[in-house]
Coordinates of all heavy atoms in Angstrom, one line a residue:
M146 N 8.7 7.4 -14.9 CA 9.0 6.1 -14.5 C 8.3 5.0 -15.3 O 7.2 5.2 -15.8 CB 8.6 5.9 -13.0 CG 9.0 4.6 -12.4 SD 8.5 4.5 -10.7 CE 9.5 5.8 -10.0
K147 N 9.0 4.0 -15.7 CA 8.4 2.9 -16.5 C 8.1 1.6 -15.7 O 8.9 1.3 -14.7 CB 9.3 2.6 -17.6 CG 9.2 3.6 -18.8 CD 9.9 3.0 -20.0 CE 9.6 4.0 -21.2 NZ 10.2 3.5 -22.4
C148 N 7.1 0.9 -16.1 CA 6.7 -0.3 -15.4 C 7.8 -1.4 -15.6 O 8.3 -1.6 -16.7 CB 5.4 -0.8 -16.0 SG 4.9 -2.4 -15.4
H149 N 8.2 -2.0 -14.5 CA 9.3 -3.0 -14.6 C 8.8 -4.4 -15.2 O 9.5 -5.3 -15.5 CB 10.0 -3.2 -13.2 CG 9.0 -3.8 -12.2 ND1 9.0 -5.1 -11.8 CD2 8.1 -3.2 -11.4 CE1 8.1 -5.3 -11.0 NE2 7.5 -4.2 -10.7
V150 N 7.5 -4.5 -15.3 CA 6.9 -5.7 -15.8 C 6.7 -5.6 -17.4 O 7.1 -6.4 -18.1 CB 5.5 -6.0 -15.1 CG1 4.9 -7.3 -15.8 CG2 5.8 -6.3 -13.7
C151 N 6.0 -4.5 -17.8 CA 5.6 -4.4 -19.2 C 6.2 -3.2 -19.9 O 6.1 -3.1 -21.1 CB 4.1 -4.5 -19.3 SG 3.3 -2.9 -18.8
G152 N 6.9 -2.3 -19.2 CA 7.4 -1.1 -19.8 C 6.4 0.0 -20.0 O 6.7 1.0 -20.6
G153 N 5.2 -0.2 -19.5 CA 4.2 0.8 -19.6 C 4.4 2.0 -18.7 O 5.4 2.0 -17.9
R154 N 3.6 3.0 -18.9 CA 3.7 4.2 -18.1 C 3.2 4.1 -16.7 O 2.1 3.5 -16.5 CB 3.0 5.3 -18.8 CG 3.4 6.7 -18.3 CD 2.9 7.8 -19.3 NE 1.4 7.8 -19.4 CZ 0.7 8.6 -18.7 NH1 1.1 9.4 -17.8 NH2 -0.6 8.6 -18.9
M155 N 4.0 4.5 -15.7 CA 3.5 4.5 -14.3 C 3.0 5.9 -14.0 O 3.6 6.9 -14.2 CB 4.7 4.2 -13.4 CG 5.4 2.9 -13.7 SD 4.5 1.4 -13.3 CE 4.8 1.2 -11.6
D156 N 1.8 5.9 -13.4 CA 1.2 7.1 -12.9 C 1.2 7.2 -11.4 O 1.0 6.1 -10.7 CB -0.2 7.3 -13.4 CG -0.2 7.9 -14.8 OD1 0.8 8.4 -15.2 OD2 -1.3 7.9 -15.4
S157 N 1.4 8.3 -10.8 CA 1.2 8.5 -9.3 C -0.3 8.6 -9.0 O -1.0 9.4 -9.5 CB 1.9 9.7 -8.8 OG 3.3 9.6 -9.0
I158 N -0.8 7.6 -8.2 CA -2.2 7.7 -7.8 C -2.3 7.4 -6.3 O -1.3 7.1 -5.7 CB -3.0 6.5 -8.6 CG1 -2.4 5.2 -8.2 CG2 -3.0 6.7 -10.1 CD1 -3.4 4.0 -8.5
R159 N -3.5 7.6 -5.8 CA -3.8 7.2 -4.4 C -4.7 6.0 -4.4 O -5.7 6.1 -5.2 CB -4.4 8.4 -3.7 CG -3.4 9.5 -3.5 CD -3.4 10.0 -2.1 NE -2.2 10.8 -1.9 CZ -1.7 11.1 -0.6 NH1 -2.3 10.5 0.4 NH2 -0.7 11.8 -0.5
S160 N -4.4 5.0 -3.7 CA -5.1 3.8 -3.8 C -5.4 3.2 -2.4 O -4.6 3.5 -1.4 CB -4.4 2.8 -4.6 OG -5.2 1.7 -4.8
D161 N -6.4 2.5 -2.2 CA -6.7 1.8 -0.9 C -6.2 0.3 -1.1 O -6.6 -0.4 -1.9 CB -8.2 1.7 -0.7 CG -8.8 3.0 -0.6 OD1 -8.1 4.1 -0.4 OD2 -10.0 3.2 -0.7
L162 N -5.2 0.0 -0.2 CA -4.6 -1.3 -0.4 C -4.7 -2.2 0.9 O -4.4 -1.6 2.0 CB -3.1 -1.1 -0.7 CG -2.7 -0.5 -2.0 CD1 -1.2 -0.3 -2.1 CD2 -3.2 -1.3 -3.2
P163 N -5.0 -3.4 0.8 CA -5.0 -4.3 1.9 C -3.7 -5.0 2.1 O -3.0 -5.3 1.1 CB -6.0 -5.4 1.5 CG -6.0 -5.4 0.0 CD -5.5 -4.1 -0.5
F164 N -3.2 -5.1 3.4 CA -2.0 -5.8 3.7 C -2.3 -6.9 4.7 O -2.8 -6.7 5.7 CB -1.0 -4.8 4.3 CG -0.5 -3.7 3.3 CD1 -1.2 -2.5 3.2 CD2 0.5 -4.0 2.5 CE1 -0.8 -1.6 2.3 CE2 1.0 -3.0 1.5 CZ 0.3 -1.8 1.5
K165 N -1.9 -8.1 4.3 CA -2.2 -9.3 5.1 C -0.9 -9.4 6.0 O 0.1 -9.8 5.5 CB -2.5 -10.5 4.3 CG -3.1 -11.6 5.1 CD -3.6 -12.7 4.2 CE -4.3 -13.8 5.0 NZ -4.7 -14.9 4.2
L166 N -1.1 -9.2 7.3 CA 0.1 -9.3 8.2 C 0.4 -10.7 8.6 O 1.5 -11.2 8.8 CB -0.1 -8.4 9.4 CG -0.2 -6.9 9.1 CD1 -0.1 -6.1 10.4 CD2 0.8 -6.4 8.1
D167 N -0.7 -11.5 8.9 CA -0.6 -12.9 9.2 C -1.9 -13.5 8.8 O -2.7 -12.9 8.2 CB -0.1 -13.2 10.6 CG -1.0 -12.8 11.6 OD1 -2.3 -12.8 11.4 OD2 -0.6 -12.4 12.8
Q168 N -2.1 -14.8 9.2 CA -3.2 -15.5 8.7 C -4.6 -14.8 9.0 O -5.5 -14.9 8.2 CB -3.2 -16.9 9.4 CG -3.9 -17.9 8.5 CD -3.5 -19.3 8.9 OE1 -2.8 -19.5 9.8 NE2 -4.1 -20.3 8.2
H169 N -4.7 -14.2 10.1 CA -6.0 -13.6 10.5 C -6.0 -12.1 10.7 O -6.9 -11.5 11.2 CB -6.4 -14.2 11.8 CG -6.6 -15.7 11.7 ND1 -7.5 -16.3 11.0 CD2 -5.9 -16.7 12.3 CE1 -7.4 -17.6 11.1 NE2 -6.4 -17.9 11.9
K170 N -4.9 -11.4 10.2 CA -4.8 -10.0 10.4 C -4.7 -9.3 9.1 O -3.7 -9.5 8.4 CB -3.6 -9.7 11.3 CG -3.6 -8.3 11.9 CD -2.3 -8.0 12.5 CE -2.2 -8.6 13.9 NZ -1.0 -8.1 14.6
I171 N -5.6 -8.4 8.8 CA -5.5 -7.6 7.6 C -5.7 -6.2 7.9 O -6.6 -5.8 8.7 CB -6.7 -8.0 6.6 CG1 -6.4 -9.5 6.2 CG2 -6.7 -7.1 5.4 CD1 -7.5 -10.1 5.3
I172 N -4.8 -5.4 7.4 CA -4.9 -3.9 7.5 C -5.2 -3.3 6.2 O -4.5 -3.7 5.2 CB -3.5 -3.3 8.0 CG1 -3.0 -4.1 9.2 CG2 -3.7 -1.9 8.4 CD1 -3.8 -4.2 10.4
V173 N -6.2 -2.5 6.1 CA -6.4 -1.8 4.9 C -5.9 -0.3 5.0 O -6.3 0.3 6.0 CB -7.9 -1.7 4.5 CG1 -8.2 -0.9 3.3 CG2 -8.5 -3.2 4.4
V174 N -5.0 0.1 4.1 CA -4.5 1.5 4.2 C -5.2 2.3 3.1 O -5.0 1.9 1.9 CB -3.0 1.5 4.0 CG1 -2.5 2.9 4.2 CG2 -2.4 0.6 5.1
K175 N -5.9 3.3 3.5 CA -6.6 4.1 2.5 C -5.7 5.3 2.0 O -4.9 5.8 2.8 CB -7.9 4.6 3.1 CG -8.9 3.5 3.5 CD -10.2 4.0 4.0 CE -11.1 4.5 2.8 NZ -11.8 3.5 2.2
D176 N -5.9 5.7 0.8 CA -5.2 6.8 0.2 C -3.7 6.7 0.2 O -3.0 7.6 0.4 CB -5.5 8.1 1.0 CG -6.9 8.6 0.7 OD1 -7.4 8.3 -0.5 OD2 -7.5 9.3 1.4
M177 N -3.2 5.5 0.0 CA -1.8 5.2 -0.1 C -1.3 5.8 -1.5 O -1.9 5.5 -2.5 CB -1.5 3.7 -0.2 CG -1.4 3.0 1.1 SD 0.2 3.0 1.7 CE 1.1 2.0 0.5
P178 N -0.2 6.6 -1.4 CA 0.4 7.1 -2.7 C 1.2 6.0 -3.3 O 2.1 5.5 -2.7 CB 1.2 8.3 -2.3 CG 1.4 8.2 -0.8 CD 0.5 7.2 -0.2
V179 N 0.8 5.5 -4.5 CA 1.6 4.5 -5.2 C 1.8 4.9 -6.6 O 1.1 5.7 -7.2 CB 0.9 3.1 -5.1 CG1 0.8 2.6 -3.7 CG2 -0.5 3.1 -5.8
E180 N 2.7 4.2 -7.3 CA 2.9 4.3 -8.7 C 2.2 3.1 -9.3 O 2.5 2.0 -9.0 CB 4.4 4.3 -9.1 CG 5.2 5.4 -8.4 CD 5.0 6.8 -8.9 OE1 4.9 6.9 -10.1 OE2 4.9 7.7 -8.0
Q181 N 1.3 3.4 -10.3 CA 0.6 2.2 -10.9 C 0.7 2.3 -12.4 O 0.5 3.3 -13.0 CB -0.9 2.2 -10.5 CG -1.5 0.9 -11.0 CD -2.9 0.7 -10.4 OE1 -3.7 1.6 -10.4 NE2 -3.1 -0.5 -9.9
C182 N 1.0 1.1 -13.0 CA 1.1 1.0 -14.4 C -0.3 1.1 -15.1 O -1.2 0.5 -14.6 CB 1.7 -0.4 -14.7 SG 1.8 -0.7 -16.5
Q183 N -0.3 1.9 -16.1 CA -1.6 2.1 -16.8 C -1.9 0.9 -17.7 O -3.0 0.8 -18.2 CB -1.6 3.4 -17.7 CG -1.4 4.6 -16.8 CD -2.4 4.7 -15.7 OE1 -3.6 4.9 -16.0 NE2 -2.1 4.5 -14.4
S184 N -1.0 0.0 -18.0 CA -1.2 -1.1 -18.9 C -1.6 -2.4 -18.1 O -2.6 -3.0 -18.5 CB 0.0 -1.3 -19.8 OG 0.3 -0.2 -20.5
C185 N -0.7 -2.7 -17.2 CA -0.9 -4.0 -16.5 C -1.4 -3.9 -15.1 O -1.6 -5.0 -14.4 CB 0.3 -4.9 -16.7 SG 1.7 -4.3 -15.6
Y186 N -1.5 -2.7 -14.5 CA -1.9 -2.5 -13.2 C -1.0 -3.0 -12.1 O -1.3 -3.0 -10.9 CB -3.3 -3.0 -12.9 CG -4.3 -2.3 -13.9 CD1 -4.9 -3.0 -15.0 CD2 -4.6 -1.0 -13.7 CE1 -5.7 -2.3 -15.8 CE2 -5.5 -0.3 -14.5 CZ -6.0 -1.0 -15.6 OH -6.8 -0.3 -16.5
E187 N 0.2 -3.3 -12.5 CA 1.3 -3.6 -11.5 C 1.5 -2.3 -10.8 O 1.5 -1.2 -11.4 CB 2.6 -4.0 -12.3 CG 3.8 -4.2 -11.4 CD 3.8 -5.5 -10.6 OE1 2.9 -6.3 -10.9 OE2 4.6 -5.6 -9.7
F188 N 1.7 -2.3 -9.5 CA 2.0 -1.1 -8.8 C 3.3 -1.2 -7.9 O 3.7 -2.3 -7.6 CB 0.9 -0.6 -7.9 CG 0.6 -1.5 -6.8 CD1 1.2 -1.3 -5.6 CD2 -0.4 -2.4 -6.9 CE1 0.9 -2.1 -4.5 CE2 -0.7 -3.3 -5.8 CZ -0.1 -3.1 -4.6
L189 N 3.9 -0.1 -7.7 CA 5.0 -0.1 -6.8 C 5.0 1.0 -5.8 O 4.4 2.1 -6.0 CB 6.3 -0.1 -7.6 CG 7.0 1.1 -8.0 CD1 8.2 1.4 -7.1 CD2 7.6 1.0 -9.4
I190 N 5.6 0.7 -4.6 CA 5.5 1.7 -3.5 C 6.9 2.3 -3.3 O 7.9 1.6 -3.2 CB 5.1 0.9 -2.2 CG1 3.7 0.3 -2.5 CG2 5.1 1.8 -1.0 CD1 3.2 -0.7 -1.3
Q191 N 6.9 3.6 -3.3 CA 8.2 4.3 -3.1 C 8.7 4.1 -1.7 O 8.0 3.9 -0.8 CB 8.0 5.8 -3.4 CG 7.3 6.1 -4.7 CD 8.4 6.2 -5.8 OE1 9.4 5.6 -5.8 NE2 8.0 7.0 -6.9
D192 N 10.1 4.2 -1.6 CA 10.7 4.0 -0.3 C 10.2 4.7 0.9 O 10.0 4.1 1.9 CB 12.3 4.2 -0.4 CG 12.9 3.0 -1.2 OD1 12.3 2.0 -1.4 OD2 14.1 3.2 -1.6
P193 N 10.0 6.1 0.8 CA 9.5 6.9 1.9 C 8.1 6.4 2.3 O 7.8 6.4 3.5 CB 9.4 8.3 1.4 CG 10.2 8.3 0.2 CD 10.3 6.9 -0.4
V194 N 7.3 6.0 1.4 CA 6.0 5.5 1.6 C 6.1 4.1 2.3 O 5.3 3.8 3.3 CB 5.1 5.4 0.4 CG1 3.8 4.8 0.6 CG2 5.0 6.7 -0.3
M195 N 7.0 3.3 1.9 CA 7.2 2.0 2.5 C 7.7 2.1 3.9 O 7.2 1.4 4.8 CB 8.3 1.2 1.7 CG 8.4 -0.2 2.0 SD 6.9 -1.1 1.7 CE 7.2 -1.7 0.0
E196 N 8.5 3.1 4.2 CA 9.0 3.4 5.6 C 7.8 3.7 6.5 O 7.7 3.2 7.6 CB 10.1 4.4 5.6 CG 11.4 4.0 5.2 CD 12.4 5.1 5.1 OE1 12.2 6.1 5.7 OE2 13.4 4.9 4.3
Y197 N 7.0 4.7 6.0 CA 5.8 5.1 6.7 C 4.9 3.9 7.0 O 4.4 3.7 8.1 CB 5.0 6.2 6.0 CG 3.8 6.6 6.6 CD1 3.8 7.6 7.6 CD2 2.6 6.0 6.3 CE1 2.6 8.0 8.2 CE2 1.4 6.3 7.0 CZ 1.4 7.3 7.9 OH 0.3 7.7 8.5
L198 N 4.7 3.0 5.9 CA 3.9 1.9 6.0 C 4.4 0.9 7.1 O 3.6 0.4 7.9 CB 3.9 1.2 4.7 CG 3.0 -0.1 4.6 CD1 1.5 0.3 4.8 CD2 3.2 -0.8 3.3
D199 N 5.7 0.7 7.2 CA 6.3 -0.2 8.2 C 6.0 0.3 9.6 O 5.6 -0.5 10.4 CB 7.8 -0.2 8.0 CG 8.3 -1.2 7.0 OD1 7.4 -2.0 6.5 OD2 9.5 -1.1 6.5
C200 N 6.1 1.6 9.8 CA 5.7 2.2 11.1 C 4.3 2.0 11.4 O 3.9 1.6 12.5 CB 6.0 3.7 11.1 SG 7.8 4.1 11.1
L201 N 3.4 2.2 10.4 CA 2.0 2.1 10.6 C 1.6 0.7 10.9 O 0.9 0.4 11.9 CB 1.3 2.5 9.3 CG -0.2 2.8 9.4 CD1 -0.6 3.8 8.3 CD2 -0.9 1.5 9.1
L202 N 2.2 -0.3 10.2 CA 1.9 -1.7 10.5 C 2.4 -2.1 11.8 O 1.8 -3.0 12.5 CB 2.5 -2.6 9.4 CG 1.9 -2.3 8.0 CD1 2.5 -3.3 6.9 CD2 0.4 -2.4 7.9
D203 N 3.6 -1.6 12.3 CA 4.1 -1.9 13.6 C 3.2 -1.4 14.7 O 3.2 -1.9 15.8 CB 5.5 -1.3 13.8 CG 6.6 -2.1 13.1 OD1 6.3 -3.2 12.8 OD2 7.8 -1.6 13.0
S204 N 2.5 -0.3 14.4 CA 1.7 0.3 15.5 C 0.3 -0.3 15.6 O -0.5 0.1 16.5 CB 1.5 1.8 15.2 OG 0.6 2.0 14.1
V205 N 0.0 -1.3 14.8 CA -1.3 -2.0 14.9 C -1.3 -2.9 16.1 O -0.4 -3.7 16.4 CB -1.6 -2.7 13.6 CG1 -2.8 -3.6 13.7 CG2 -1.7 -1.8 12.4
D206 N -2.4 -2.9 16.8 CA -2.6 -3.7 18.0 C -2.5 -5.2 17.6 O -3.0 -5.6 16.5 CB -3.9 -3.5 18.7 CG -3.9 -2.1 19.4 OD1 -2.9 -1.6 19.6 OD2 -5.1 -1.7 19.6
S207 N -1.9 -6.0 18.4 CA -1.7 -7.4 18.1 C -3.0 -8.2 18.0 O -3.1 -9.2 17.4 CB -0.7 -8.1 19.0 OG -1.1 -8.0 20.3
G208 N -4.0 -7.8 18.8 CA -5.2 -8.6 18.9 C -6.3 -8.4 17.8 O -7.3 -9.1 17.7
I209 N -6.1 -7.4 16.9 CA -7.1 -7.1 16.0 C -7.1 -8.0 14.7 O -6.0 -8.6 14.4 CB -7.0 -5.6 15.5 CG1 -5.7 -5.4 14.7 CG2 -7.2 -4.7 16.6 CD1 -5.9 -5.2 13.3
E210 N -8.2 -8.2 14.1 CA -8.2 -9.0 12.9 C -8.3 -8.2 11.6 O -7.9 -8.6 10.6 CB -9.4 -10.0 12.9 CG -9.3 -11.0 14.0 CD -10.4 -12.1 13.9 OE1 -11.4 -11.8 13.2 OE2 -10.2 -13.1 14.6
L211 N -9.0 -7.0 11.7 CA -9.1 -6.2 10.6 C -9.1 -4.7 11.0 O -9.8 -4.4 12.0 CB -10.5 -6.4 9.8 CG -10.8 -5.5 8.7 CD1 -9.9 -5.6 7.5 CD2 -12.2 -5.7 8.2
E212 N -8.3 -3.9 10.4 CA -8.3 -2.5 10.8 C -8.1 -1.7 9.5 O -7.5 -2.1 8.5 CB -7.1 -2.2 11.7 CG -7.0 -0.8 12.2 CD -6.4 -0.7 13.5 OE1 -6.7 -1.5 14.4 OE2 -5.5 0.3 13.7
V213 N -8.7 -0.5 9.5 CA -8.6 0.4 8.4 C -7.9 1.7 8.9 O -8.3 2.2 9.9 CB -10.0 0.8 7.8 CG1 -9.8 1.8 6.7 CG2 -10.8 -0.5 7.3
R214 N -6.8 2.0 8.2 CA -6.0 3.2 8.5 C -6.0 4.1 7.3 O -6.0 3.6 6.2 CB -4.6 2.8 8.9 CG -4.5 2.0 10.2 CD -4.7 2.9 11.4 NE -4.5 2.2 12.7 CZ -3.3 2.3 13.3 NH1 -2.3 3.0 12.9 NH2 -3.2 1.6 14.4
R215 N -5.9 5.3 7.6 CA -5.8 6.3 6.5 C -4.3 6.7 6.4 O -3.7 7.1 7.4 CB -6.7 7.5 6.7 CG -6.7 8.5 5.5 CD -7.8 9.5 5.7 NE -9.1 8.8 5.5 CZ -9.7 8.6 4.3 NH1 -9.1 9.0 3.2 NH2 -10.8 8.0 4.2
F216 N -3.8 6.7 5.2 CA -2.4 7.2 5.0 C -2.4 8.7 5.3 O -3.1 9.5 4.7 CB -1.9 7.0 3.6 CG -0.4 7.2 3.5 CD1 0.4 6.1 3.6 CD2 0.1 8.4 3.1 CE1 1.8 6.2 3.5 CE2 1.5 8.6 3.0 CZ 2.3 7.5 3.1
A217 N -1.5 9.1 6.3 CA -1.7 10.5 6.8 C -0.5 11.4 6.4 O -0.3 12.5 7.0 CB -1.8 10.5 8.3
A218 N 0.4 11.0 5.5 CA 1.5 11.8 5.2 C 1.3 12.6 3.9 O 0.5 12.1 3.1 CB 2.8 11.0 5.1
Ligands
ZN334 ZN1 3.0 -2.7 -16.6

């Protein structure tokens, strides 16, 4: 797979990524499988991972401000 920004090589890696759900709510997902460009560090998330992520973000309690979840798939 090639980077859509610079055409560089994308590698499959596991990364810890923060997702800001609204102004005061941040979820950090550890060990997310993503494709990351070795040249410009642009990354992209594959569809199955995105679906899992949607479920995970939906399951977060509404009252929390910061939560750390581990990607479990
Ligand atoms: Zn790139």
